Amino acid sequence: MGYIIDFSKFSSVFVVPSLSEQTLCTASAEELKVLLYLMQNQTQPIDPTYLANRLMLSETAVTKALSFWNKEGLLSMQADEESVSCPIQETKAVHTQQEQNSKLMMGLKAQNKTMSIDEVNTLSQKDTSVSELVDAVQLQMGKILTRSEIETLISFYAYAGLPPEYILLAAAHCCSRNRPNIRALSKLLTDMMSENIYTYEQAEKYLSNLQRQEGIQGQVRSAFGIHDRNLTKQEQKYIDTWFTEYHFDISVVKLAYEKTINQIGKVSFPYINKILSSWHNKGISTAKEAALERQPSKQTESSSIDFDQIQHFITYGEAKSDPHY
């Protein structure tokens, strides 16, 4: 007679992180017991003495278990005291800052400590999303992924808990930027998590803004003749200010660039920023207004017109000899 799971008893459940077969084999009964209790009681502070009393274990065994899960990356040491904090489980609700920090840590782990291909194969037998994700990314990138690339890819799914559609959206962005490789995807995913981006909707908005920023930066690089290097972080901040805060278009920025070249003979983002800041403060918003602001005043010439002189010339064919005639 075999056993089956009675799902009627699952009226209240909690989520535990994915564990490799190696971890399950090496973890002791006390260590697994502590982990299950922590996952079921995540809102409580982690006190080794309290855990020992609740689980009927020695305090030494609890301390050893906490150290084990810390080494596995599921717990992190607090800076102000010798205790550990427990990562919060991923849910469909809004993530708290503690959840996000924990997932970022797992995302970094996905870069530095990937799953083995055997673990990936074992996981794929239980979760069809694994093979589907690999196939979809290979189709997007137009190539067969290597074993190490598959390990890295699935680590973001298994370790960081990123949804497959989230990863595919990021992969599509990399491909659209002519970076169809796992290295670029890995960096983008980690950058997104560092910005607290965890849902598909957040990822879609983030990548849309990123695409707009990259497009604007490309226009500026082309206008400034920058083709042999990447923009610095400060230069990117300048550009973001010009287009997002000042709401200038590329034609206004080009005028500021031309004025800079005429004045100092070279490209200088701080100098260009000074010009654009001045225009913004004066209420100038279009290239036409900026061009008129740059022209020398002709007020003196226009104000010297004497309409009486003009009428006298038309009548008598000569200018007045005396302006008070």
Side-chain angles (χ1 to χ4, degrees):
M1 178 183 293
Y3 293 94
I4 61 173
I5 298 176
D6 184 2
F7 288 99
S8 65
K9 305 298 183 181
F10 283 65
S11 59
S12 178
V13 298
F14 60 93
V15 179
V16 297
S18 298
L19 302 175
S20 66
E21 288 186 357
Q22 180 180 0
T23 300
L24 290 174
C25 291
T26 56
S28 66
E30 290 82 4
E31 289 162 349
L32 292 172
K33 193 174 183 180
V34 168
L35 177 64
L36 290 175
Y37 185 89
L38 293 178
M39 294 296 98
Q40 190 173 8
N41 301 273
Q42 296 178 37
T43 60
Q44 298 181 4
I46 300 178
D47 183 353
T49 302
Y50 177 82
L51 290 176
N53 293 332
R54 295 292 297 176
L55 298 174
M56 293 185 292
L57 297 172
S58 68
E59 191 168 338
T60 301
V62 171
T63 302
K64 182 180 178 182
L66 294 176
S67 177
F68 176 86
W69 294 119
N70 178 50
K71 292 179 180 178
E72 286 297 311
L74 300 184
L75 302 177
S76 59
M77 298 296 298
Q78 293 180 340
D80 56 344
E81 56 185 3
E82 293 185 358
S83 60
V84 292
S85 59
C86 176
I88 304 299
Q89 69 185 29
E90 179 183 8
T91 65
K92 294 183 180 180
V94 177
H95 297 288
T96 64
Q97 187 64 41
Q98 184 178 0
E99 288 174 315
Q100 294 164 350
N101 290 341
S102 174
K103 289 193 174 186
L104 175 59
M105 179 187 69
M106 297 300 287
L108 295 174
K109 181 179 178 182
Q111 281 190 310
N112 300 322
K113 180 185 176 183
T114 58
M115 303 179 69
S116 69
I117 195 64
D118 292 335
E119 291 173 329
V120 173
N121 291 334
T122 300
L123 181 61
S124 65
Q125 295 175 4
K126 303 176 183 178
D127 187 351
T128 57
S129 296
V130 173
S131 58
E132 292 173 355
L133 178 59
V134 173
D135 292 341
V137 172
Q138 288 182 147
L139 182 62
Q140 284 182 324
M141 295 186 175
K143 64 179 181 180
I144 301 298
L145 299 180
T146 66
R147 185 172 73 173
S148 63
E149 289 174 334
I150 293 176
E151 292 171 346
T152 299
L153 174 65
I154 301 305
S155 292
F156 277 102
Y157 170 68
Y159 281 144
L162 297 179
E165 60 271 18
Y166 177 114
I167 298 175
L168 291 174
L169 188 65
H173 179 85
C174 290
C175 293
S176 69
R177 291 294 169 274
N178 295 321
R179 295 192 292 266
N181 58 77
I182 295 298
R183 181 187 296 273
L185 175 59
S186 178
K187 183 180 184 305
L188 178 58
L189 291 174
T190 303
D191 289 345
M192 291 169 66
M193 286 188 291
S194 70
E195 296 290 335
N196 297 329
I197 307 299
Y198 291 99
T199 68
Y200 179 85
E201 291 75 16
Q202 291 174 329
E204 191 173 34
K205 183 177 179 180
Y206 175 88
L207 292 175
S208 178
N209 291 335
L210 183 61
Q211 184 175 2
R212 181 187 62 83
Q213 291 176 350
E214 291 176 346
I216 291 173
Q217 291 172 10
Q219 292 181 42
V220 172
R221 290 182 61 184
S222 177
F224 292 5
I226 301 175
H227 306 293
D228 57 348
R229 67 173 180 84
N230 294 325
L231 297 173
T232 66
K233 292 292 184 181
Q234 184 57 53
E235 290 171 342
Q236 292 176 14
K237 289 181 180 179
Y238 280 136
I239 295 173
D240 191 54
T241 298
W242 303 339
F243 288 86
T244 304
E245 182 178 341
Y246 296 167
H247 302 290
F248 288 141
D249 59 27
I250 190 63
S251 62
V252 179
V253 175
K254 283 182 178 180
L255 286 177
Y257 162 77
E258 293 171 0
K259 184 174 182 179
T260 300
I261 296 299
N262 292 334
Q263 292 289 335
I264 64 176
K266 63 178 181 179
V267 178
S268 171
F269 275 78
Y271 198 97
I272 295 172
N273 184 66
K274 185 177 180 180
I275 295 173
L276 292 172
S277 296
S278 175
W279 289 348
H280 175 69
N281 293 333
K282 293 178 181 179
I284 294 173
S285 59
T286 67
K288 182 178 180 180
E289 293 171 346
L292 291 175
E293 191 270 347
R294 294 194 307 162
Q295 293 178 356
S297 176
K298 297 184 179 180
Q299 183 177 0
T300 302
E301 180 183 349
S302 60
S303 62
S304 64
I305 298 176
D306 191 329
F307 289 98
D308 288 338
Q309 288 276 14
I310 296 175
Q311 184 62 46
H312 184 83
F313 184 84
I314 295 173
T315 303
Y316 300 102
E318 60 181 5
K320 293 181 180 180
S321 58
D322 184 353
H324 301 289
Y325 176 79

